[in-house]
Amino acid sequence: MNALTLSRRRFLTYSGAAAAVAAAGGIGWKELADRTRSDPLPPGTGVLVTVTLYGGNDGLNTVVPAADPAYQSARPDLAYAEHEVLDLGEGLGLNPGMAGLKASWDAGTLAVVRGVSYPQPDHSHFRSMDIWQTATPDHPVNTGWIGRWLDGNGRDPLKAISLDPVLPPMLAGATTAGAALPLSGLALTKGALGTAFAAMGGASDGEPGPQAVAARSITDLHRTVATLGPAVDATTAAPGAGGKKAATSQLAAQLDVVARCVEMGAPSRVYSASVGGFDTHADERSTQQRLLTEVDAAVSGFLTRMAGTDRGRHVVLMAYSEFGRRVAANANEGTDHGTAGPVLVAGAGVKGGFVGEQPSLTDLDDGDLKPTTDFRDVYATMLSGVLGSDPAQVLGPGRSTLPLLST
Protein backbone atom coordinates (compact mmCIF):
# COMPACT_ATOMS: atom_id res chain seq x y z
CA MET A 1 0.00 0.00 0.00
CA ASN A 2 1.35 3.47 -0.89
CA ALA A 3 2.23 5.41 2.27
CA LEU A 4 0.53 8.58 1.06
CA THR A 5 -2.78 6.78 0.48
CA LEU A 6 -2.67 4.86 3.77
CA SER A 7 -5.99 5.36 5.56
CA ARG A 8 -5.57 7.19 8.85
CA ARG A 9 -8.70 5.52 10.25
CA ARG A 10 -7.56 2.04 9.21
CA PHE A 11 -4.13 2.63 10.68
CA LEU A 12 -5.47 3.85 14.01
CA THR A 13 -8.06 1.09 14.19
CA TYR A 14 -6.01 -1.94 13.20
CA SER A 15 -2.31 -1.26 13.75
CA GLY A 16 -2.25 -0.70 17.53
CA ALA A 17 -1.17 2.91 17.12
CA ALA A 18 -1.43 3.80 20.79
CA ALA A 19 0.88 0.97 21.81
CA ALA A 20 3.33 1.84 19.04
CA VAL A 21 3.43 5.48 20.13
CA ALA A 22 4.05 4.48 23.75
CA ALA A 23 6.95 2.28 22.68
CA ALA A 24 8.40 4.94 20.38
CA GLY A 25 8.33 7.41 23.25
CA GLY A 26 11.04 5.41 25.01
CA ILE A 27 11.24 5.36 28.79
CA GLY A 28 10.62 8.95 29.65
CA TRP A 29 11.24 11.56 26.93
CA LYS A 30 7.59 11.75 25.94
CA GLU A 31 6.52 11.73 29.57
CA LEU A 32 8.97 14.55 30.26
CA ALA A 33 7.63 16.61 27.36
CA ASP A 34 4.04 15.95 28.47
CA ARG A 35 4.85 17.10 32.02
CA THR A 36 6.65 20.14 30.67
CA ARG A 37 3.50 21.24 28.90
CA SER A 38 1.15 20.44 31.78
CA ASP A 39 3.33 21.25 34.80
CA PRO A 40 6.38 23.35 33.86
CA LEU A 41 8.97 24.28 36.44
CA PRO A 42 8.07 27.70 37.90
CA PRO A 43 10.41 30.48 36.71
CA GLY A 44 13.12 31.27 39.23
CA THR A 45 13.41 27.70 40.50
CA GLY A 46 16.94 26.45 41.14
CA VAL A 47 18.33 23.64 39.00
CA LEU A 48 21.46 21.59 39.77
CA VAL A 49 23.58 20.02 37.01
CA THR A 50 26.26 17.56 38.14
CA VAL A 51 29.17 16.66 35.86
CA THR A 52 31.10 13.56 36.94
CA LEU A 53 34.68 13.19 35.69
CA TYR A 54 35.16 9.43 35.93
CA GLY A 55 38.61 7.98 36.48
CA GLY A 56 40.09 10.25 39.13
CA ASN A 57 40.95 13.60 37.55
CA ASP A 58 44.34 15.03 38.51
CA GLY A 59 43.38 18.13 40.45
CA LEU A 60 46.95 19.41 40.65
CA ASN A 61 47.12 19.72 36.87
CA THR A 62 43.58 21.15 36.71
CA VAL A 63 43.92 23.94 39.27
CA VAL A 64 47.68 24.15 39.01
CA PRO A 65 49.97 25.36 41.85
CA ALA A 66 52.54 26.33 39.24
CA ALA A 67 54.26 28.85 41.51
CA ASP A 68 54.97 26.23 44.19
CA PRO A 69 58.54 24.83 43.97
CA ALA A 70 57.32 21.59 45.58
CA TYR A 71 54.96 21.05 42.62
CA GLN A 72 57.70 21.62 40.08
CA SER A 73 60.05 19.27 41.97
CA ALA A 74 57.51 16.47 42.36
CA ARG A 75 56.56 16.49 38.67
CA PRO A 76 59.57 17.44 36.57
CA ASP A 77 58.05 16.16 33.31
CA LEU A 78 54.36 16.80 34.07
CA ALA A 79 54.43 20.19 35.73
CA TYR A 80 53.14 23.27 33.96
CA ALA A 81 55.25 26.42 34.12
CA GLU A 82 53.70 29.58 35.53
CA HIS A 83 53.51 31.20 32.11
CA GLU A 84 51.57 28.22 30.70
CA VAL A 85 48.62 28.25 33.09
CA LEU A 86 45.65 30.64 33.18
CA ASP A 87 46.31 32.76 36.24
CA LEU A 88 43.73 32.67 39.05
CA GLY A 89 45.83 34.35 41.73
CA GLU A 90 47.40 32.97 44.92
CA GLY A 91 49.98 31.12 42.82
CA LEU A 92 47.33 28.99 41.12
CA GLY A 93 46.17 28.76 37.52
CA LEU A 94 43.75 26.75 35.45
CA ASN A 95 44.98 24.13 33.00
CA PRO A 96 45.78 25.74 29.61
CA GLY A 97 42.87 23.88 28.05
CA MET A 98 40.29 25.67 30.22
CA ALA A 99 40.07 29.12 28.67
CA GLY A 100 36.28 29.13 28.71
CA LEU A 101 36.11 28.52 32.46
CA LYS A 102 38.81 31.13 32.96
CA ALA A 103 36.35 33.61 31.43
CA SER A 104 33.77 32.47 34.00
CA TRP A 105 36.34 33.03 36.74
CA ASP A 106 37.03 36.54 35.46
CA ALA A 107 33.27 37.21 35.38
CA GLY A 108 32.94 36.10 39.02
CA THR A 109 30.72 33.09 38.25
CA LEU A 110 33.19 30.23 38.87
CA ALA A 111 34.08 28.98 42.34
CA VAL A 112 36.96 26.60 42.97
CA VAL A 113 36.49 24.51 46.11
CA ARG A 114 39.93 23.32 47.17
CA GLY A 115 41.13 20.15 48.85
CA VAL A 116 37.82 18.29 48.61
CA SER A 117 37.56 14.69 49.81
CA TYR A 118 36.33 12.84 52.91
CA PRO A 119 37.87 11.29 56.05
CA GLN A 120 40.15 8.32 55.41
CA PRO A 121 40.00 8.49 51.59
CA ASP A 122 39.86 5.27 49.59
CA HIS A 123 42.05 4.75 46.50
CA SER A 124 39.64 2.35 44.79
CA HIS A 125 37.70 3.83 41.86
CA PHE A 126 34.62 1.79 42.70
CA ARG A 127 34.55 2.44 46.44
CA SER A 128 35.48 6.11 46.18
CA MET A 129 32.85 6.84 43.52
CA ASP A 130 30.32 4.92 45.60
CA ILE A 131 31.16 7.18 48.54
CA TRP A 132 30.81 10.36 46.47
CA GLN A 133 27.49 9.26 44.98
CA THR A 134 25.92 7.97 48.19
CA ALA A 135 27.53 10.59 50.49
CA THR A 136 28.17 7.98 53.20
CA PRO A 137 31.92 7.54 53.77
CA ASP A 138 31.49 5.47 56.92
CA HIS A 139 29.54 2.51 55.54
CA PRO A 140 28.02 1.32 52.25
CA VAL A 141 24.35 2.11 51.62
CA ASN A 142 21.92 1.39 48.81
CA THR A 143 20.72 4.94 48.24
CA GLY A 144 22.30 7.96 46.58
CA TRP A 145 22.20 11.48 47.95
CA ILE A 146 19.93 12.78 45.20
CA GLY A 147 17.82 9.62 45.50
CA ARG A 148 17.24 10.39 49.17
CA TRP A 149 16.33 13.93 48.18
CA LEU A 150 13.77 12.47 45.75
CA ASP A 151 12.36 10.24 48.50
CA GLY A 152 11.69 13.28 50.66
CA ASN A 153 10.46 15.66 47.95
CA GLY A 154 7.48 14.21 46.16
CA ARG A 155 8.91 10.89 44.94
CA ASP A 156 8.78 12.11 41.35
CA PRO A 157 11.34 10.35 39.11
CA LEU A 158 11.24 13.17 36.55
CA LYS A 159 12.66 15.57 39.14
CA ALA A 160 16.12 14.04 38.58
CA ILE A 161 17.33 12.95 35.15
CA SER A 162 20.49 11.14 34.13
CA LEU A 163 21.88 11.53 30.61
CA ASP A 164 24.28 8.67 31.33
CA PRO A 165 23.70 5.28 29.66
CA VAL A 166 22.55 3.82 32.98
CA LEU A 167 21.18 5.37 36.14
CA PRO A 168 24.07 6.37 38.45
CA PRO A 169 23.80 5.34 42.13
CA MET A 170 23.47 9.03 43.02
CA LEU A 171 19.89 9.07 41.68
CA ALA A 172 18.66 5.89 43.40
CA GLY A 173 16.47 6.34 46.47
CA ALA A 174 14.79 3.89 48.82
CA THR A 175 11.35 4.46 47.29
CA THR A 176 12.11 6.54 44.20
CA ALA A 177 14.72 6.59 41.47
CA GLY A 178 15.48 9.30 38.97
CA ALA A 179 14.92 8.76 35.26
CA ALA A 180 17.72 7.50 33.02
CA LEU A 181 16.84 8.91 29.61
CA PRO A 182 18.96 7.78 26.64
CA LEU A 183 20.98 10.46 24.93
CA SER A 184 19.81 9.08 21.58
CA GLY A 185 16.50 10.79 22.30
CA LEU A 186 13.76 10.33 19.71
CA ALA A 187 13.97 9.77 15.97
CA LEU A 188 10.97 9.33 13.69
CA THR A 189 10.66 7.92 10.21
CA LYS A 190 11.26 10.46 7.45
CA GLY A 191 10.16 10.66 3.84
CA ALA A 192 6.73 9.72 2.54
CA LEU A 193 5.95 7.33 5.36
CA GLY A 194 6.96 9.94 7.93
CA THR A 195 4.73 12.53 6.29
CA ALA A 196 1.81 10.12 6.31
CA PHE A 197 2.42 9.22 9.96
CA ALA A 198 2.48 12.90 10.97
CA ALA A 199 -0.81 13.50 9.09
CA MET A 200 -2.49 10.85 11.21
CA GLY A 201 -2.25 13.16 14.19
CA GLY A 202 -4.83 15.54 12.75
CA ALA A 203 -8.36 15.72 14.13
CA SER A 204 -11.19 13.97 12.31
CA ASP A 205 -14.88 14.66 12.89
CA GLY A 206 -16.94 11.88 14.39
CA GLU A 207 -14.14 9.43 15.13
CA PRO A 208 -14.47 7.13 18.19
CA GLY A 209 -12.80 8.12 21.43
CA PRO A 210 -9.92 5.60 21.30
CA GLN A 211 -8.97 6.73 17.80
CA ALA A 212 -9.01 10.37 18.89
CA VAL A 213 -6.69 9.51 21.82
CA ALA A 214 -4.29 7.68 19.49
CA ALA A 215 -4.31 10.62 17.06
CA ARG A 216 -3.46 13.05 19.87
CA SER A 217 -0.64 10.71 20.95
CA ILE A 218 0.83 10.91 17.45
CA THR A 219 0.67 14.71 17.56
CA ASP A 220 2.25 14.74 21.04
CA LEU A 221 5.03 12.44 19.89
CA HIS A 222 5.93 14.71 16.96
CA ARG A 223 5.82 17.74 19.25
CA THR A 224 8.19 15.99 21.64
CA VAL A 225 10.67 15.23 18.85
CA ALA A 226 10.47 18.80 17.60
CA THR A 227 11.16 20.10 21.11
CA LEU A 228 13.94 17.77 22.18
CA GLY A 229 15.54 17.29 18.79
CA PRO A 230 16.54 14.24 16.78
CA ALA A 231 18.92 11.51 17.83
CA VAL A 232 22.31 12.82 18.93
CA ASP A 233 25.48 10.96 19.85
CA ALA A 234 29.20 11.50 20.15
CA THR A 235 29.68 11.37 16.38
CA THR A 236 27.18 14.13 15.60
CA ALA A 237 28.85 16.71 13.40
CA ALA A 238 28.47 20.44 13.83
CA PRO A 239 29.80 23.23 11.60
CA GLY A 240 33.19 24.41 12.66
CA ALA A 241 35.68 27.03 11.52
CA GLY A 242 35.89 27.39 7.78
CA GLY A 243 32.66 25.49 7.25
CA LYS A 244 34.29 22.18 8.15
CA LYS A 245 32.65 19.57 10.34
CA ALA A 246 33.80 18.98 13.90
CA ALA A 247 32.79 16.15 16.23
CA THR A 248 30.53 17.09 19.12
CA SER A 249 31.73 15.58 22.39
CA GLN A 250 29.51 13.26 24.38
CA LEU A 251 29.49 15.72 27.28
CA ALA A 252 28.55 18.61 25.00
CA ALA A 253 25.69 16.51 23.60
CA GLN A 254 24.46 15.72 27.11
CA LEU A 255 24.61 19.35 28.19
CA ASP A 256 22.84 20.45 25.02
CA VAL A 257 19.90 18.23 25.98
CA VAL A 258 20.00 19.62 29.52
CA ALA A 259 19.96 23.16 28.15
CA ARG A 260 16.93 22.43 25.98
CA CYS A 261 15.11 20.87 28.93
CA VAL A 262 15.84 23.89 31.14
CA GLU A 263 14.80 26.37 28.45
CA MET A 264 11.48 24.67 27.80
CA GLY A 265 10.67 24.51 31.55
CA ALA A 266 11.02 20.79 32.14
CA PRO A 267 9.99 19.85 35.71
CA SER A 268 13.42 18.39 36.54
CA ARG A 269 15.49 19.94 39.34
CA VAL A 270 18.63 17.80 38.95
CA TYR A 271 20.49 16.61 35.85
CA SER A 272 23.43 14.20 35.81
CA ALA A 273 26.02 14.23 33.00
CA SER A 274 29.45 12.62 32.82
CA VAL A 275 32.66 12.02 30.90
CA GLY A 276 35.34 9.38 31.50
CA GLY A 277 38.97 8.70 30.72
CA PHE A 278 40.72 10.49 33.60
CA ASP A 279 42.64 7.47 34.97
CA THR A 280 45.94 8.86 33.71
CA HIS A 281 48.63 6.46 34.91
CA ALA A 282 50.73 7.18 31.81
CA ASP A 283 51.22 10.02 29.32
CA GLU A 284 49.04 12.19 31.51
CA ARG A 285 49.82 15.68 30.36
CA SER A 286 48.59 15.40 26.78
CA THR A 287 45.71 13.05 27.65
CA GLN A 288 44.35 15.12 30.51
CA GLN A 289 44.73 18.43 28.70
CA ARG A 290 42.78 17.03 25.75
CA LEU A 291 40.02 15.83 28.10
CA LEU A 292 39.93 19.09 30.04
CA THR A 293 39.72 21.04 26.79
CA GLU A 294 36.70 18.93 25.85
CA VAL A 295 35.12 19.48 29.27
CA ASP A 296 35.85 23.21 29.12
CA ALA A 297 34.25 23.62 25.69
CA ALA A 298 31.13 21.70 26.75
CA VAL A 299 30.72 23.34 30.14
CA SER A 300 31.59 26.91 29.14
CA GLY A 301 29.29 26.69 26.13
CA PHE A 302 26.50 25.44 28.37
CA LEU A 303 27.09 28.20 30.94
CA THR A 304 27.07 30.90 28.27
CA ARG A 305 23.80 29.56 26.91
CA MET A 306 22.25 29.39 30.36
CA ALA A 307 23.31 32.94 31.22
CA GLY A 308 21.20 34.20 28.32
CA THR A 309 17.84 33.03 29.67
CA ASP A 310 15.88 33.71 32.85
CA ARG A 311 15.49 30.00 33.63
CA GLY A 312 19.14 29.36 32.83
CA ARG A 313 20.35 31.99 35.28
CA HIS A 314 19.05 29.79 38.10
CA VAL A 315 21.16 26.80 37.01
CA VAL A 316 24.22 25.81 39.04
CA LEU A 317 26.74 23.34 37.61
CA MET A 318 29.00 21.25 39.85
CA ALA A 319 31.92 19.24 38.41
CA TYR A 320 33.77 16.65 40.50
CA SER A 321 35.80 13.44 40.30
CA GLU A 322 36.06 10.49 42.68
CA PHE A 323 39.58 11.43 43.82
CA GLY A 324 42.64 13.40 42.80
CA ARG A 325 46.08 11.98 42.07
CA ARG A 326 49.24 11.58 44.11
CA VAL A 327 51.55 14.57 44.26
CA ALA A 328 54.60 12.88 42.75
CA ALA A 329 54.62 11.71 39.15
CA ASN A 330 55.19 8.02 38.48
CA ALA A 331 57.78 6.53 36.12
CA ASN A 332 55.39 6.56 33.14
CA GLU A 333 54.83 10.32 32.97
CA GLY A 334 51.52 9.84 34.74
CA THR A 335 50.14 9.88 38.27
CA ASP A 336 48.59 7.28 40.52
CA HIS A 337 45.39 7.30 42.58
CA GLY A 338 45.37 9.99 45.24
CA THR A 339 42.94 11.77 47.52
CA ALA A 340 41.81 15.39 47.53
CA GLY A 341 41.03 17.47 44.46
CA PRO A 342 39.09 20.57 43.45
CA VAL A 343 35.36 20.78 42.84
CA LEU A 344 34.25 23.41 40.33
CA VAL A 345 30.93 25.20 40.86
CA ALA A 346 29.69 27.60 38.19
CA GLY A 347 26.63 29.55 37.13
CA ALA A 348 25.12 33.01 37.11
CA GLY A 349 24.15 32.68 40.78
CA VAL A 350 27.55 31.45 41.93
CA LYS A 351 29.84 33.57 44.09
CA GLY A 352 33.14 33.22 42.29
CA GLY A 353 36.52 32.73 43.92
CA PHE A 354 38.41 30.24 46.03
CA VAL A 355 36.64 28.33 48.79
CA GLY A 356 38.56 26.18 51.24
CA GLU A 357 42.26 25.95 52.01
CA GLN A 358 44.78 24.88 49.39
CA PRO A 359 46.37 21.58 50.55
CA SER A 360 50.07 21.63 51.31
CA LEU A 361 52.43 19.89 48.87
CA THR A 362 54.99 19.22 51.58
CA ASP A 363 52.82 18.20 54.55
CA LEU A 364 51.51 14.98 53.02
CA ASP A 365 49.83 11.80 54.19
CA ASP A 366 52.07 9.04 52.81
CA GLY A 367 52.44 10.93 49.53
CA ASP A 368 48.81 12.06 49.35
CA LEU A 369 47.26 15.47 49.84
CA LYS A 370 45.51 16.01 53.14
CA PRO A 371 41.86 16.99 52.51
CA THR A 372 40.77 20.41 53.73
CA THR A 373 37.08 20.38 52.68
CA ASP A 374 34.50 17.64 53.15
CA PHE A 375 32.55 16.98 49.94
CA ARG A 376 29.35 16.62 51.94
CA ASP A 377 29.55 20.33 52.77
CA VAL A 378 29.54 21.07 49.03
CA TYR A 379 26.45 18.86 48.73
CA ALA A 380 24.83 20.55 51.72
CA THR A 381 25.26 23.89 49.97
CA MET A 382 23.67 22.56 46.77
CA LEU A 383 20.75 21.04 48.69
CA SER A 384 20.11 24.17 50.71
CA GLY A 385 20.92 26.93 48.26
CA VAL A 386 19.89 25.41 44.92
CA LEU A 387 17.25 22.80 45.76
CA GLY A 388 15.80 24.57 48.81
CA SER A 389 15.97 21.47 51.02
CA ASP A 390 17.21 20.66 54.50
CA PRO A 391 20.63 19.01 54.07
CA ALA A 392 20.22 17.06 57.31
CA GLN A 393 17.38 15.03 55.82
CA VAL A 394 19.73 13.78 53.09
CA LEU A 395 23.21 13.92 54.63
CA GLY A 396 22.50 13.59 58.33
CA PRO A 397 23.29 16.19 61.01
CA GLY A 398 26.43 18.24 61.42
CA ARG A 399 27.08 19.47 57.89
CA SER A 400 28.03 23.05 57.08
CA THR A 401 27.26 25.16 54.04
CA LEU A 402 29.96 26.95 52.07
CA PRO A 403 29.97 30.50 50.63
CA LEU A 404 29.41 29.33 47.06
CA LEU A 405 26.20 31.07 46.07
CA SER A 406 25.52 34.76 45.67
CA THR A 407 21.75 34.45 46.01
Side-chain angles (χ1 to χ4, degrees):
M1 182 181 295
N2 186 295
L4 293 179
T5 61
L6 183 64
S7 163
R8 172 178 177 276
R9 187 177 298 274
R10 283 173 59 84
F11 182 86
L12 295 178
T13 302
Y14 300 116
S15 69
V21 168
I27 55 171
W29 285 122
K30 182 179 180 301
E31 290 82 355
L32 179 64
D34 289 343
R35 282 280 304 281
T36 299
R37 289 188 289 272
S38 65
D39 185 26
L41 198 67
T45 304
V47 172
L48 174 64
V49 179
T50 67
V51 175
T52 305
L53 309 180
Y54 284 108
N57 177 49
D58 182 7
L60 290 176
N61 272 14
T62 302
V63 179
V64 188
D68 191 332
Y71 164 76
Q72 300 291 340
S73 176
R75 300 180 167 202
D77 297 317
L78 290 183
Y80 286 96
E82 285 189 73
H83 71 272
E84 292 180 290
V85 300
L86 308 173
D87 183 43
L88 301 178
E90 299 188 20
L92 300 171
L94 282 177
N95 185 283
M98 303 176 74
L101 284 170
K102 174 57 162 63
S104 294
W105 175 270
D106 293 340
T109 57
L110 171 66
V112 176
V113 190
R114 301 184 287 193
V116 186
S117 187
Y118 50 88
Q120 299 180 320
D122 195 296
H123 290 91
S124 160
H125 288 295
F126 179 82
R127 178 59 185 142
S128 189
M129 183 54 72
D130 181 68
I131 288 171
W132 274 83
Q133 296 218 1
T134 64
T136 54
D138 301 330
H139 58 281
V141 298
N142 294 323
T143 59
W145 69 286
I146 293 297
R148 296 195 294 275
W149 172 78
L150 285 172
D151 287 342
N153 288 272
R155 301 182 181 181
D156 180 358
L158 288 180
K159 280 190 175 180
I161 291 178
S162 169
L163 281 303
D164 300 287
V166 297
L167 189 77
M170 174 173 60
L171 270 61
T175 60
T176 314
L181 304 185
L183 188 60
S184 56
L186 296 169
L188 295 176
T189 301
K190 299 184 183 299
L193 183 59
T195 300
F197 183 46
M200 291 173 186
S204 180
D205 293 338
E207 63 186 347
Q211 291 184 29
V213 171
R216 285 196 299 271
S217 295
I218 292 173
T219 298
D220 288 345
L221 178 59
H222 281 83
R223 187 182 295 119
T224 299
V225 173
T227 302
L228 293 172
V232 59
D233 57 34
T235 62
T236 299
K244 297 181 178 180
K245 298 284 187 175
T248 299
S249 75
Q250 188 80 357
L251 180 60
Q254 292 177 50
L255 292 178
D256 176 68
V257 173
V258 173
R260 281 181 277 163
C261 289
V262 170
E263 290 164 352
M264 71 184 191
S268 308
R269 300 289 307 278
V270 179
Y271 296 89
S272 170
S274 68
V275 62
F278 287 92
D279 196 17
T280 50
H281 289 277
D283 190 26
E284 177 184 301
R285 181 159 160 154
S286 60
T287 299
Q288 189 203 26
Q289 185 167 333
R290 172 182 56 78
L291 288 168
L292 290 178
T293 300
E294 174 185 317
V295 170
D296 179 79
V299 169
S300 61
F302 172 78
L303 293 171
T304 298
R305 181 172 173 177
M306 291 293 90
T309 67
D310 180 64
R311 290 186 184 277
R313 284 188 284 274
H314 295 277
V315 170
V316 172
L317 182 145
M318 179 186 73
Y320 73 98
S321 193
E322 66 261 42
F323 47 61
R325 315 295 287 192
R326 291 176 72 81
V327 174
N330 62 28
N332 298 313
E333 297 187 12
T335 53
D336 298 325
H337 300 178
T339 53
V343 170
L344 305 181
V345 180
V350 169
K351 183 179 180 180
F354 291 120
V355 174
E357 182 182 350
Q358 179 69 13
S360 170
L361 297 185
T362 55
D363 180 18
L364 303 177
D365 182 4
D366 192 24
D368 283 328
L369 296 173
K370 293 181 178 179
T372 58
T373 306
D374 194 301
F375 78 101
R376 289 168 292 179
D377 291 340
V378 181
Y379 289 0
T381 308
M382 299 299 102
L383 287 163
S384 174
V386 181
L387 300 180
S389 297
D390 180 3
Q393 294 180 357
V394 174
L395 305 172
R399 302 269 46 99
S400 301
T401 57
L402 304 173
L404 290 170
L405 305 174
S406 58
T407 56

